[in-house]
Amino acid sequence: MYKQLFLSAALFAASLQANAQSTATDYKGGNNNPISASVFCADPTALEYNGRLYVYGTNDHQEFIKNGKKGDNSYGSIKSLVVFSTADMVNWTFHGTIDAQKLCATWTGNPWYKGFMNSWAPSVTWRTNPDTGKDEFFLYFANTSHGVGVLTADSPTGPWKSPLKESLINKDTPGALQQSANFDPGVVIDDNGTGWLTFGGLDPDKGGTNFMPNNTRIIKLQPSMTAIDGEAILIPAPYHFEANELNIIDGKFAFTYCSNWSRDEAEWNAYTSEHHISATQPNVGTMCYMVSDNPTDPDSWVYKDVYGPHPGTSGNNHSHLHKFKGNYYHIYHSGALLEAMKKADGLDAGGYRSICVDKAKVNELTQTINKVTLTAEGVEAVGTLNPYEEQQAETMATCAGISYEDFTNIKKNGRINALGNEVSENMQVRMAEDSWIQLRKVDFGDKGAARFTLRAKGEGTIEVRIGRRGAKPSATIAISSDEMSDYTVDVDAAKFIGQKSIFFMATSGTEVWLDAWQFAEDQPDAIHGIVNRPSETDKSVNRKSFDLQGRQLSGSRQHRGIVIEQYTDENGLTHTRKRL
């Protein structure tokens, strides 16, 4: 269903009646932290792929929903992982969740600790397979405190699968921990293409103390990245507790971890004297780091210092250090979103975390990481958002009053899926009256936009406002359809020039669902909006299909979810649309 609408004076006048500022709460308070204003998520890890940073985390929101949005987070109901991505560090796209419980349903339960239990604290990496030339993605996760599982995919958003019938790491793994937790994996592929995995934490292992728990291990991975090579080796990390991650900095291994809650001044002084270290004793729950050029030699690991302070508003600490577009970032979790909800709404809940990002400063020559300052403001944009490319409605800098749904899992009775799906391109944003979405650093260029197309369904009105939520609408779309339909309005190009912050405001009606949007410049030969898929009788030629990462799909290539289809009609005009 395709609808072409024009912004008439009458429609604009009517919209002025609804341009009062939204009362829906902005839990981020105009800041960039956390990355999501609506999804609880924690224990971040990240990878860069095709100019985007993909961040994965523990799905605290699954437990939040399971507990009826109240009570404390026990982590017991968390059996999935979340995925976000960004190209500019300000506007984040929510890709849905990875249903680890479903993917690992065939795992053996004998012995019990090899079977699937939960999915926490992921660590991710990718490579181009040297033999096949194909890109491969590997996602490791804590199977509670009893082991580490692994999932694989051929794109950062899946579809994912479990290549094994049991956990990759457990207490039967050679060299694994017997009294401590074989969890919280940290993966890296070194400069020679070899994979390495760290794990371990909580209580001291055999022979360990609170100061030197002996509960940290590193193990080499086979070329498949889904099997171990040899036995796990000790990393002698003082005050080690959890949150293991690995980086390669100028050819050396950098191991980061969260310190425990015990302190012994005498032992620390003896340790620093023996190892000729000038670092001060870390505060409890801080992110520490060690460096080595030979990870299988415990004596090669050098303790450097603290680089990440405790966030203060969450019980534990977990972070990932990542370099993206020339900058290092400290990606961590805090309780900031939960605290904002408690203050605004009186929410009676505890322990639900949210992912934040602040800039880190790293001297690559000396492998020195300066101590990070945690802020509510977060980081500045490292790029702009292109409004002339189709953008998913799940892309936003912040929002209020919205929820996410996977439209392939929504039943006709309107039951809402509570973030329990696999990662899906079939996401949509549900907006009730008074809800809104904000995007920052949207670059309309010098010519400006002449048209706006929105794919949506439901009953209601969406206004586009520039600069602030209380601004007068610069475009208004009345939505009335049971199926996803394309609505296009002409807009005043003079208002859509240069870099803008824009808002999508749901100002009237019951509720609407947004799928995607796109602006167009004033080009007489351009096709207005995103047109429908041609029927089988259309005389179309040069038809091509692409996935959402821009890779062309062959006729034999199977693809689940939405594809981008392009074709040329008999008049030589090019058409583009999304379809299942």
Side-chain angles (χ1 to χ4, degrees):
M1 180 179 180
Y2 177 83
K3 296 186 178 181
Q4 178 73 38
L5 305 176
F6 293 94
L7 190 60
S8 65
L11 182 58
F12 182 78
S15 71
L16 292 179
Q17 300 174 8
N19 71 348
Q21 180 123 351
S22 168
T23 57
T25 303
D26 176 13
Y27 295 121
K28 293 175 66 168
N31 296 312
N32 288 326
N33 275 332
I35 66 172
S36 174
S38 57
V39 177
F40 290 116
C41 45
D43 308 322
T45 185
L47 62 82
E48 180 182 354
Y49 186 68
N50 286 350
R52 294 190 70 84
L53 184 69
Y54 290 83
V55 174
Y56 305 74
T58 303
N59 188 5
D60 278 19
H61 212 85
Q62 188 171 23
E63 173 109 353
F64 183 62
I65 297 297
K66 180 75 173 181
N67 289 346
K69 300 183 179 181
K70 60 184 179 181
D72 293 336
N73 186 0
S74 70
Y75 317 116
S77 299
I78 302 175
K79 300 177 186 296
S80 59
L81 304 165
V82 298
V83 187
F84 289 85
S85 75
T86 183
D88 57 28
M89 300 303 296
V90 170
N91 298 296
W92 293 84
T93 302
F94 179 57
H95 296 283
T97 61
I98 303 171
D99 191 344
Q101 182 178 33
K102 177 181 177 181
L103 298 174
C104 303
T106 59
W107 281 17
T108 179
N110 185 24
W112 65 270
Y113 51 80
K114 292 186 178 182
F116 177 81
M117 288 169 277
N118 290 94
S119 53
W120 307 333
S123 186
V124 69
T125 191
W126 76 280
R127 70 176 181 191
T128 300
N129 188 297
D131 296 324
T132 65
K134 295 181 179 180
D135 294 341
E136 299 175 326
F137 297 79
F138 304 92
L139 184 61
Y140 304 83
F141 64 90
N143 186 31
T144 67
S145 60
H146 298 289
V148 173
V150 59
L151 303 174
T152 60
D154 61 4
S155 89
T157 56
W160 296 89
K161 64 181 180 180
S162 173
L164 306 178
K165 297 299 182 182
E166 61 185 33
S167 57
L168 171 66
I169 301 290
N170 51 65
K171 70 176 184 177
D172 291 342
T173 300
L177 302 162
Q178 298 303 306
Q179 297 174 191
S180 305
N182 293 295
F183 79 152
D184 278 19
V187 66
V188 77
I189 298 175
D190 67 21
D191 295 340
N192 297 316
T194 301
W196 300 86
L197 192 72
T198 54
F199 60 92
L202 300 186
D203 294 332
D205 207 55
K206 184 177 181 181
T209 65
N210 287 333
F211 170 72
M212 189 58 70
N214 292 342
N215 61 356
T216 318
R217 297 291 185 270
I218 186 169
I219 197 165
K220 185 178 180 181
L221 297 173
Q222 292 188 20
S224 68
M225 297 290 290
T226 59
I228 61 171
D229 184 356
E231 69 176 73
I233 306 296
L234 169 72
I235 297 178
Y239 294 130
H240 178 269
F241 187 63
E242 61 180 0
N244 314 293
E245 278 278 41
L246 280 172
N247 284 86
I248 300 293
I249 302 177
D250 195 30
K252 290 193 176 184
F253 289 76
F255 168 62
T256 61
Y257 66 93
C258 178
S259 64
N260 63 24
W261 273 254
S262 298
R263 291 296 175 268
D264 189 306
E265 193 74 27
E267 283 196 272
W268 176 258
N269 290 338
Y271 174 80
T272 56
S273 177
E274 178 185 355
H275 294 277
H276 308 290
I277 297 170
S278 61
T280 57
Q281 183 169 237
N283 291 330
V284 298
T286 52
M287 297 304 303
C288 307
Y289 72 107
M290 303 182 75
V291 172
S292 169
D293 55 10
N294 183 8
T296 59
D297 177 9
D299 293 333
S300 73
W301 288 96
V302 177
Y303 179 88
K304 298 279 283 187
D305 212 333
V306 169
Y307 84 95
H310 190 278
T313 53
S314 65
N316 62 356
N317 200 356
H318 198 123
S319 71
H320 174 71
L321 180 72
H322 203 94
K323 188 177 183 180
F324 178 64
K325 294 189 176 180
N327 299 310
Y328 274 97
Y329 294 99
H330 175 60
I331 311 172
Y332 61 102
H333 67 229
S334 79
L337 179 61
L338 178 64
E339 293 304 310
M341 290 182 174
K342 285 181 176 180
K343 183 178 180 179
D345 307 328
L347 185 67
D348 182 19
Y352 298 101
R353 303 155 297 176
S354 47
I355 294 175
C356 302
V357 183
D358 277 295
K359 212 167 184 179
K361 185 177 180 180
V362 178
N363 185 324
E364 295 181 335
L365 294 179
T366 62
Q367 298 83 44
T368 300
I369 312 170
N370 287 7
K371 190 173 182 179
V372 177
T373 299
L374 308 184
T375 69
E377 294 81 7
V379 298
E380 295 180 354
V382 293
T384 57
L385 188 142
N386 185 354
Y388 304 120
E389 294 178 352
E390 184 174 89
Q391 301 290 343
Q392 298 301 302
E394 308 86 63
T395 299
M396 57 191 72
T398 188
C399 63
I402 67 102
S403 59
Y404 300 99
E405 296 176 357
D406 181 331
F407 61 70
T408 61
N409 287 353
I410 301 300
K411 306 300 182 184
K412 290 184 178 180
N413 62 11
R415 183 179 179 181
I416 298 174
N417 186 290
L419 300 187
N421 326 299
E422 293 179 63
V423 164
S424 173
E425 297 89 353
N426 304 325
M427 298 295 293
Q428 60 188 13
V429 176
R430 179 173 178 256
M431 300 183 72
E433 184 178 354
D434 207 35
S435 61
W436 53 267
I437 292 169
Q438 182 188 12
L439 297 110
R440 298 178 179 142
K441 303 286 284 189
V442 183
D443 192 355
F444 291 95
D446 297 333
K447 294 178 61 176
R451 283 175 300 280
F452 174 64
T453 298
L454 177 68
R455 179 174 295 117
K457 70 175 183 179
E459 295 290 335
T461 301
I462 296 294
E463 294 180 354
V464 181
R465 300 182 185 179
I466 300 174
R468 57 188 180 87
R469 297 199 305 272
K472 293 181 179 180
S474 296
T476 302
I477 294 182
I479 297 166
S480 180
S481 57
D482 295 330
E483 297 180 353
M484 282 294 175
S485 304
D486 297 329
Y487 297 82
T488 298
V489 296
D490 285 353
V491 299
D492 182 357
K495 296 181 179 180
F496 293 90
I497 293 177
Q499 295 182 17
K500 304 290 185 182
S501 178
I502 62 173
F503 294 82
F504 298 142
M505 313 284 300
T507 56
S508 66
T510 52
E511 57 186 5
V512 296
W513 289 262
L514 308 188
D515 178 28
W517 59 269
Q518 184 175 357
F519 284 86
E521 293 179 300
D522 190 12
Q523 299 173 340
D525 295 331
I527 300 301
H528 290 203
I530 310 167
V531 302
N532 283 339
R533 182 185 180 189
S535 67
E536 296 302 318
T537 58
D538 285 343
K539 296 179 181 180
S540 59
V541 296
N542 196 27
R543 185 180 298 182
K544 299 177 182 179
S545 295
F546 303 84
D547 65 17
L548 294 184
Q549 281 73 45
R551 298 172 299 190
Q552 186 170 349
L553 304 175
S554 65
S556 60
R557 184 172 179 180
Q558 297 296 315
H559 183 77
R560 178 181 60 85
I562 287 180
V563 300
I564 305 298
E565 185 178 74
Q566 293 181 348
Y567 71 97
T568 304
D569 66 19
E570 58 185 328
N571 297 316
L573 296 177
T574 299
H575 302 250
T576 302
R577 76 151 282 124
K578 290 199 308 184
R579 67 173 178 82
L580 284 173

